[in-house]
Each structure stands twice: as C-alpha cells, then as structure tokens.
C-alpha cells in the first residue's frame, strides 16, 4: 500500500516537473520575441533590457527615459500641445481627434466598400462548447452558420477565421473542423491566431490553406482528456446528502457525479479519449502535410509559442489579422475587395436593451466581480463542459 502511494506521488512529481519545464520553454520563447521587438524598435541591447527587467529599473519614469524605454514624461496638456505642433496648428486651434469608428468610415475604408468581391472575416473567440455561441464563447451553431454563409456567397472569394480559443468540447471542435474543410473545398481559408489558439482552437484551424500566428501566440496543445467530477465525498461528509439508485442495466448509471466510476467505465472513457486523440493527430497530419507520428511527437498536450510553432510546422507564417487578409486575397487572386465580418453581431440598441433589462446577466457579474469574474466564469464553464475535452487543461496568463 505504501509502495503504491509512493509510486503515485513520484508520478505526480514527474508530471509537474515536465509541465514546469515545458512552460519555462514557452515563456522563454515569448520573452525572447518581446526582447527582440523592443530591442529593434527602441535601439536597446538585449543585455540592457534583461538588466532593466532584473533590477526593476522602470519603476522610476525618469530612469525609463534615461534607459530609452520612453522618449519623455508629459502631462495630457503637454501631449496636446505636442500634437498641435506636429500638425502645424496654433495654440488657439482645436485639435481634432479621430475615433476608431470614424476612422473605419474614412476614405481608406470607403474605397473598399465599392468593391464587388468580399473577404469574410469570421471571429471565433472563447471556449468551444455546445450551443448557439456568442461573443464570449464559440458555439457550433453560430460558427457553422458563418462558414456556410461565407461558403455559399459567390461574392465571398476567401475566408479568414480569427481564432482566439483555448479549446473545449472535442465534439464541437470536430463539427467546426468539418465546416472548415467543406469551405476550403470551395474557396481559400486562412487562419489568423490571436493570443491563444490551442487544443480545440488548433483543431478547428489545422485544415486551413494557410495559418498565421503572432510570435507570442500560445498554440499547439494537441491533446485530449476526459473529466467526470465525483462529488459524493463532499455531499455526504460535508452536507450529509446520500444517494441511492435503481438501474436496469449494469452501466445504466454511467457518467454520474455522485459516485466513482468502475474500472470498466474508466476504461470506456479512456478508450474514447484515445480514439479522439488519434482522430485529432490524423486531421492535424492531413492539414499540415505531416505524418501522424510527427504530429504525435509535437502533440501530447504540449504548448508552443507562435515562433516555436513556425519552427515545427504547426503554422505557416508569423503575422497578424491584416497579414492573413492580404494572404487570403492573394490566394483568391483578388486585389479589389471589401471585408465582411461574421457572425453578424446584434444591433447595438438591442444589445443595450438586453443589458439594461437584465437579459445579459454577465454584464452585471463582470461589473461587481471585476478581475475575479474570470474565476466565476471558469466554475460556470466546468458545469457545462462535455466529458471529452480538446482544450488546455489549465489557464495560462503570461504578463
């Protein structure tokens, strides 16, 4: 008994050590990209950047100027005066500021609106789970509808899908993957990865014609796991609640949270996990023109930065959304187009009314909980997750 417990503790320690090493390699890659970018733009050596980070030198604004991290220290009125000077205005003139919504209706964008061809930009953000989906999570209904709409519209010459997701339901990921494949058969599909496009987020991306990521994007995490909570101990020991059951068949109580699984039931879940993982790496291999063995070797749940992903073949190029749009136009052989955002968002007035009438409870929760809202959301997500998950098994926040 003691030997088994020791072996289990040793295994847990090994897993934690491997995870620590993997995450250290990831943040080292991200940090390296940040250093190179800052060094090039501010003309500061890598050594000086690391020294400033080690010594916390930037807590003093004057020191930040001396080290060339910033160009000066100014109050808002001094910034306004500087802008007037740069634009040739006198002190008495008003400084006209252009908001982003007005910029979007400026001449640059108006020139594009007269184009006949369109490039559809589909935004897939949040955890992947069943349901319609909205601006907080990816549902199979809204993303499927968006892909079908873009695919069937003859004016849409290419599709860019902006993916920002840690993954989620393996089933929903597979459904969306299928729609990406069907769309790719009709017109070019380009993926633009945001901060994170991992596990299920990579699953729905891997079939595209071309994949972009930022250097600091967290991607990969090609892995699958199953989760079935067991709350029987808590309910009985803490709340005094016990459970009785009557069943018709030996495994009629399969997947319940009020008792532990039997060894046979655990094997069934394990087999499902392995079957979905095999499908995942197979589709990744097809999409990236790699062997399943190669995908498995860089898979197994490991996460990679965008820079690392480029080196191992998970993506095609480093770049943001604009680069992805340009590539999509190139693949579609069009240089005169306008953009169409999908899924279609709610009318702002309708959204405002829903918020004011309490139909959007998340607005109020976010307001009252502030930064702690993310923990509340994680608990809510746990309640609604499928058993088989293609998602990162932990939350990562790189600062």
């Amino acid at each position: 008994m003691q030997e088994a417990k020791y072996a289990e503790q040793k295994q847990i320690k090994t897993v934690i050590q491997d995870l620590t090493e993997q995450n250290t390699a990831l943040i080292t890659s991200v940090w390296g990209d940040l250093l190179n970018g800052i060094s090039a733009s501010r003309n500061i050596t890598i050594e000086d950047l690391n020294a400033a980070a080690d010594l916390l030198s930037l807590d003093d604004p004057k020191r930040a100027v001396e080290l060339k991290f910033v160009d000066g220290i100014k109050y808002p009125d001094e910034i306004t005066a500087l802008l007037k000077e740069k634009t040739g205005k006198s002190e008495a003139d008003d400084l006209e500021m252009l908001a982003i919504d007005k910029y979007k209706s400026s001449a640059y964008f108006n020139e594009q609106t007269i184009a006949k061809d369109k490039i559809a930009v589909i935004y897939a953000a949040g955890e992947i789970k069943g349901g319609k989906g909205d601006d907080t999570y990816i549902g199979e209904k809204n993303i499927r509808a968006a892909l079908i709409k873009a695919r069937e519209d003859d004016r849409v010459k290419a599709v860019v899908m902006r993916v920002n997701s840690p993954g989620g339901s393996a089933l929903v990921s597979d459904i969306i993957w299928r729609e990406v494949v069907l769309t790719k058969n009709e017109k070019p599909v380009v993926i633009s990865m945001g901060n994170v496009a991992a596990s299920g987020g990579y699953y729905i991306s891997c079939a595209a014609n071309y994949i972009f990521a930022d250097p600091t994007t967290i991607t990969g995490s090609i892995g699958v796991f199953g989760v079935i909570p067991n709350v029987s101990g808590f309910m009985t020991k803490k709340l005094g609640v016990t459970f009785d059951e009557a069943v018709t068949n030996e495994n009629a109580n399969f997947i319940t949270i009020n008792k532990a699984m039997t060894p046979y039931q655990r094997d069934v879940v394990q087999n499902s996990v392995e079957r979905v993982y095999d499908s995942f790496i197979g589709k990744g291999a097809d999409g990236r023109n790699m062997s399943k063995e190669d995908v498995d070797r860089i898979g197994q749940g490991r996460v990679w930065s965008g820079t690392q992903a480029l080196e191992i073949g998970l993506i095609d190029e480093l770049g943001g959304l604009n680069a992805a749009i340009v590539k999509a136009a190139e693949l579609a052989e069009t240089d005169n187009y306008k953009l169409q955002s999908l899924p279609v968002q709610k009318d702002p007035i309708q959204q405002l009314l829903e918020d004011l009438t309490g139909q959007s409870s998340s607005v109020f929760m976010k307001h009252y909980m502030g930064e702690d809202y993310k923990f509340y959301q994680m608990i809510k997500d746990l309640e609604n997750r499928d058993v088989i998950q293609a998602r990162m098994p932990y939350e990562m926040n790189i600062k």
Side-chain angles (χ1 to χ4, degrees):
M1 188 70 165
Q2 192 69 24
E3 291 181 358
K5 185 176 181 180
Y6 174 76
E8 181 179 359
Q9 290 175 341
K10 185 177 180 181
Q11 183 179 17
I12 293 173
K13 184 177 180 180
T14 301
V15 170
I16 293 175
Q17 182 178 352
D18 290 344
L19 184 60
T20 301
E21 291 176 355
Q22 179 189 152
N23 287 339
T24 299
L26 173 67
I27 63 174
T28 300
S29 174
V30 172
W31 178 236
D33 285 313
L34 291 175
L35 287 174
N36 289 328
I38 296 172
S39 177
S41 63
R42 299 302 303 175
N43 194 26
I44 306 174
T45 66
I46 300 294
E47 292 74 14
D48 287 344
L49 288 172
N50 275 314
D54 290 339
L55 299 174
L56 303 178
S57 302
L58 303 185
D59 66 327
D60 181 356
K62 292 182 179 179
R63 183 66 176 145
V65 174
E66 294 173 2
L67 295 174
K68 300 189 294 185
F69 280 86
V70 298
D71 296 303
I73 305 171
K74 295 184 181 297
Y75 287 102
D77 63 291
E78 294 176 307
I79 295 292
T80 300
L82 178 62
L83 289 173
K84 286 182 178 181
E85 178 186 336
K86 296 288 186 182
T87 55
K89 293 183 176 294
S90 68
E91 291 186 11
D93 292 334
D94 290 331
L95 188 65
E96 296 182 11
M97 307 296 288
L98 186 64
I100 185 64
D101 56 339
K102 290 185 178 180
Y103 174 69
K104 289 177 67 175
S105 61
S106 65
Y108 170 75
F109 287 93
N110 283 336
E111 287 177 359
Q112 296 190 38
T113 59
I114 62 175
K116 180 180 179 181
D117 293 346
K118 295 188 293 186
I119 292 179
V121 182
I122 297 175
Y123 293 90
E127 184 167 353
I128 301 172
K129 52 188 178 182
K132 181 179 180 181
D134 55 27
D135 59 348
T136 64
Y137 79 95
I138 301 171
E140 80 273 17
K141 292 183 180 180
N142 65 346
I143 299 301
R144 280 193 69 237
L147 286 164
I148 293 171
K149 180 179 177 65
R151 185 166 71 240
E152 296 180 347
D153 187 344
D154 291 337
R155 292 181 60 192
V156 173
K157 303 304 180 183
V159 174
V160 173
M161 192 157 75
R162 176 70 169 179
V163 179
N164 198 354
S165 172
S169 166
L171 173 61
V172 176
S173 298
D174 192 55
I175 292 172
I176 296 174
W177 170 88
R178 172 65 176 174
E179 293 299 336
V180 173
V181 171
L182 293 175
T183 305
K184 178 185 174 182
N185 291 338
E186 300 291 331
K187 54 196 66 176
V189 178
V190 177
I191 297 296
S192 169
M193 293 181 171
N195 293 333
V196 56
S199 206
Y202 190 78
Y203 197 132
I204 67 176
S205 303
C206 65
N209 296 88
Y210 210 83
I211 302 177
F212 282 89
D214 289 322
T216 56
T217 295
I218 297 172
T219 188
S221 189
I222 298 173
V224 181
F225 65 91
V227 176
I228 302 177
N230 178 8
V231 301
S232 59
F234 170 77
M235 298 295 287
T236 302
K237 296 177 182 178
K238 300 296 182 180
L239 301 180
V241 177
T242 59
F243 300 91
D244 294 308
E245 63 181 18
V247 298
T248 58
N249 295 83
E250 184 176 353
N251 288 294
N253 61 354
F254 181 48
I255 305 184
T256 177
I257 65 172
N258 56 30
K259 65 181 299 183
M261 290 186 294
T262 66
Y264 176 79
Q265 291 172 343
R266 183 179 293 275
D267 288 342
V268 169
V269 174
Q270 182 63 39
N271 289 336
S272 295
V273 167
E274 293 176 2
R275 184 176 65 252
V276 174
Y277 179 69
D278 184 70
S279 176
F280 192 168
I281 63 175
K283 288 167 180 173
D286 290 340
R288 300 305 301 165
N289 195 25
M290 301 167 66
S291 68
K292 287 179 66 174
E293 292 74 20
D294 286 340
V295 177
D296 182 39
R297 188 170 59 253
I298 60 179
Q300 302 184 43
R302 284 187 286 268
V303 292
W304 310 92
S305 70
T307 300
Q308 293 172 318
L310 178 63
E311 295 172 353
I312 60 180
L314 289 179
I315 68 169
D316 296 292
E317 192 173 339
L318 296 176
L321 180 58
N322 288 338
I325 293 171
V326 171
K327 184 64 178 182
E330 175 189 323
L331 293 175
E333 299 181 350
T334 179
D335 56 5
N336 186 23
Y337 57 88
K338 64 179 180 179
L339 304 181
Q340 179 182 18
S341 296
L342 295 171
V344 177
Q345 298 298 311
K346 291 181 180 178
D347 179 86
I349 300 300
Q350 178 187 355
Q351 184 65 59
L352 177 62
L353 289 174
E354 289 184 5
D355 292 345
L356 292 176
T357 55
Q359 295 182 46
S360 181
S361 59
S362 63
V363 173
F364 296 99
M365 294 299 294
K366 288 179 182 178
H367 173 73
Y368 286 111
M369 298 186 70
E371 287 293 320
D372 294 332
Y373 176 79
K374 60 185 178 183
F375 301 111
Y376 164 80
Q377 189 62 48
M378 288 170 60
I379 295 173
K380 294 295 291 181
D381 288 340
L382 281 171
E383 296 177 353
N384 300 314
R385 283 179 183 165
D386 291 348
V387 172
I388 307 300
Q389 290 282 303
R391 84 179 308 279
M392 294 179 64
Y394 50 87
E395 299 291 333
M396 177 173 285
N397 185 14
I398 298 179
K399 297 182 178 180

